[in-house]
Amino acid sequence: MTIRVRRGTRIVRRLATFGVLLALLGLLIPNDSHYPTEFTLIKLETAHGLDATDHVVWILALGSDARPGQPYLGSRSDAIQLVGIDPVTHRGVTIGIPRDSYVNIPGYGQNKINAAMVFGGPELTAQTVANFTGITPDYVFVTSFPGLIRMVGGINGITAKVTFNMNDQGQVFHPGMHKFTGVQALAFARIRHGLPAGDFNRSMDQGQLLKGGLATILGKLGRPGFFERALGLLAQYADTTVNPVDLYRLARTVLEVNPARVKVCVLQGGTGYVGAQSVVFPDVAAARSLAADVRHDAKVDRGCTA
């Protein structure tokens, strides 16, 4: 019993410290420094509060494929992960949406879902995901390629699960737990060639990176200077519309998740062509069934393929 009390006390102290630092960080964001903005957090108008009695918090995590000189908030989304967190049970779920999924984009008709960010930025992507799955995100987090490298490097790498043997342009990964550098994490998140199920396996790998990243951060919370380095990184390269109080509450919600209770899922479907385009035809009924299953508690009872 004594051990549990001490452990709980440490967690509360870490979160309290995090809250103070985030409040200070709120004075620094939006980014008005000389550093380029490489990741953005947006609170959507539909977002609810983050009290412990609230419903599941949904965060749409997007990885932009912007090249140098291109706006990362207006380029195609290379990674699309719908992340649900239950603040009460500290359970989580990641739902990978293959980037080539052929869906209806509001106002633009049928197209690959990754084009939504080109047409209308993160907000339109969130609306597209909501219409497609039936789950409306509360927040959207977008990172660029350099942003992902910087975030992973900023915490000295993350450890995540590799499922298949992979060898792509000199990056080699073997099944098992692997510690990724920032460059390796980006490569791992983008590899699809040579994987048994292509885009579907890539979406699974992206979910594993998110889960592994959370576990890595939680494992380093008590290390001296970790908070300062991580938040200094955000202050330099992040932009957000979220106020300091909500930022703290969101961080608290994320940091209280138990990685062992995070389920990695991927929406399924078939592949084919629309004209000359290779696309994924998602199983919409299965997607909505999974969404209905996890909507209120982030607990997967059926319909999850990983």
Side-chain angles (χ1 to χ4, degrees):
M1 181 64 69
T2 301
I3 294 176
R4 290 183 180 177
V5 171
R6 288 177 179 172
R7 182 179 300 164
T9 300
R10 288 198 299 270
I11 292 174
V12 169
R13 286 176 179 171
R14 290 170 185 171
L15 290 173
T17 303
F18 203 31
V20 172
L21 291 171
L22 280 172
L24 294 174
L25 181 62
L27 301 176
L28 304 175
I29 298 177
N31 183 338
D32 57 0
S33 67
H34 300 295
Y35 298 94
T37 300
E38 293 180 346
F39 21 86
T40 298
L41 176 66
I42 300 170
K43 181 179 181 180
L44 300 175
E45 293 182 0
T46 54
H48 294 75
L50 284 169
D51 293 319
T53 56
D54 286 342
H55 72 317
V56 173
V57 178
W58 289 98
I59 304 168
L60 181 62
L62 303 174
S64 170
D65 73 352
R67 290 346 191 238
Q70 297 178 332
Y72 77 96
L73 293 181
S75 298
R76 291 180 180 268
S77 43
D78 196 61
I80 306 170
Q81 294 284 327
L82 185 58
V83 182
I85 299 170
D86 188 327
V88 177
T89 64
H90 312 305
R91 189 189 302 275
V93 61
T94 70
I95 303 175
I97 303 175
R99 69 175 190 177
D100 289 341
S101 297
Y102 196 67
V103 301
N104 181 62
I105 299 177
Y108 295 89
Q110 295 289 120
N111 209 317
K112 292 183 179 182
I113 196 169
N114 64 356
M117 203 149 77
V118 176
F119 298 146
E123 294 84 355
L124 182 60
T125 304
Q127 184 182 355
T128 302
V129 168
N131 289 357
F132 167 43
T133 64
I135 291 177
T136 300
D138 299 298
Y139 297 86
V140 184
F141 180 78
V142 188
T143 183
S144 62
F145 288 162
L148 176 62
I149 293 172
R150 199 177 302 278
M151 283 190 295
V152 174
I155 58 174
N156 296 317
I158 63 174
T159 299
K161 179 182 177 181
V162 177
T163 303
F164 303 104
N165 279 307
M166 307 168 77
N167 187 338
D168 186 81
Q169 298 182 11
Q171 295 289 351
V172 179
F173 307 110
H174 301 292
M177 300 304 292
H178 181 89
K179 183 175 180 181
F180 294 89
T181 65
V183 172
Q184 288 176 332
L186 177 61
F188 179 68
R190 303 199 67 227
I191 293 173
R192 64 169 174 168
H193 298 296
L195 297 178
D199 277 339
F200 300 101
N201 291 150
R202 173 166 57 182
S203 289
M204 177 190 66
D205 290 339
Q206 292 163 357
Q208 292 293 354
L209 276 178
L210 289 175
K211 180 176 179 176
L214 172 64
T216 300
I217 290 171
L218 291 177
K220 295 182 178 182
L221 282 181
R223 296 187 182 182
F226 177 78
F227 283 133
E228 291 83 355
R229 289 194 302 273
L231 290 170
L233 182 70
L234 289 175
Q236 291 175 354
Y237 297 98
D239 189 11
T240 184
T241 61
V242 183
N243 65 58
V245 173
D246 282 345
L247 193 60
Y248 162 65
R249 289 173 138 186
L250 181 60
R252 180 196 68 188
T253 299
V254 173
L255 290 177
E256 289 179 342
V257 173
N258 180 352
R261 304 191 80 186
V262 175
K263 182 71 173 177
V264 176
C265 301
V266 177
L267 297 186
Q268 293 302 293
T271 59
Y273 287 87
V274 174
Q277 288 191 99
S278 174
V279 302
V280 169
F281 294 108
D283 186 333
V284 176
R288 291 179 178 168
S289 176
L290 174 60
D293 179 42
V294 301
R295 182 192 313 277
H296 298 298
D297 58 8
K299 181 177 182 293
V300 179
D301 295 310
R302 64 181 187 276
C304 176
T305 301

